[in-house]
Amino acid sequence: LTTLFPVFANKLLGLGPVEVGSLWSALGVGLFVMSIVLLWFTGRTLADRINIIVWTSALSGLAIGVLVWTKDLYLVSLLMIVIGGGMGAFTPIAWGIVQELTPRMMVGRVLGLYGTGAMTAAISGISVFGQVTERFGESTGVAGIGATFLLTASLGGWLSRSIRNR
């Protein structure tokens, strides 16, 4: 979303570089707020932390979906804060879980592999949604990114339930 956002903002909302920068700042506010909120969830169980990913991914997916339908800059700013919060929950929780579950002697290797997979997924997402946007339009690209967040929430919910059942 962040890489393609200038295109979406220009085509869907008619915004220029200054407004895009302001909306990126709103995204940063969401990331910052989530960093503070996560301090209260440090001692939670594995399933609870995955549920945080589930709910924040679902909220981000819905907020991204609403971006397609709104032209109000203030609402878009609020949505960007929500999206930033959702994005800010995933990475620290996922990295913490990987470190927690990996045998001590393998943490560096596993985190290196995880980082490689995350970067590959990011580059693939940029490529795929760039092509979708070019071929089918900005609204479809944004909706596809929102659907990806909702898919993440669904898979996280399944993982959380399977952990609780063990």
Side-chain angles (χ1 to χ4, degrees), residues 79-100:
L79 293 171
M80 291 301 286
I81 292 170
V82 171
I83 294 164
M87 293 168 73
F90 184 86
T91 300
I93 292 173
W95 278 74
I97 290 170
V98 169
Q99 291 178 52
E100 180 182 324

Side-chain angles (χ1 to χ4, degrees), residues 7-163:
V7 174
F8 299 144
N10 182 279
K11 299 288 185 176
L12 292 176
L13 303 170
L15 302 179
V18 173
E19 292 90 358
V20 170
S22 298
L23 293 175
W24 266 335
S25 295
L27 185 86
V29 168
L31 289 164
F32 177 70
V33 169
M34 182 53 69
S35 297
I36 293 170
V37 168
L38 287 177
L39 293 172
W40 285 287
F41 294 102
T42 303
R44 301 294 176 123
T45 67
L46 179 62
D48 289 341
R49 286 178 281 155
I50 292 172
N51 273 333
I52 295 167
I53 292 173
V54 168
W55 288 107
T56 57
S57 293
L59 281 173
S60 291
L62 294 173
I64 291 169
V66 173
L67 282 177
V68 175
W69 304 106
T70 187
K71 302 279 188 215
D72 180 29
L73 191 56
Y74 294 110
L75 179 57
V76 172
S77 298
L78 179 65
L79 293 171
M80 291 301 286
I81 292 170
V82 171
I83 294 164
M87 293 168 73
F90 184 86
T91 300
I93 292 173
W95 278 74
I97 290 170
V98 169
Q99 291 178 52
E100 180 182 324
L101 298 178
T102 302
R104 186 173 177 90
M105 293 177 55
M106 295 181 64
V107 170
R109 287 174 264 184
V110 171
L111 286 176
L113 184 62
Y114 178 85
T116 301
M119 188 55 64
T120 302
I123 292 169
S124 299
I126 292 166
S127 299
V128 167
F129 288 112
Q131 290 292 325
V132 167
T133 299
E134 187 175 330
R135 180 166 289 189
F136 301 106
E138 292 77 19
S139 295
T140 305
V142 172
I145 293 169
T148 302
F149 273 81
L150 293 173
L151 177 63
T152 300
S154 299
L155 293 173
W158 170 79
L159 179 61
S160 178
R161 281 188 301 280
S162 68
I163 288 171

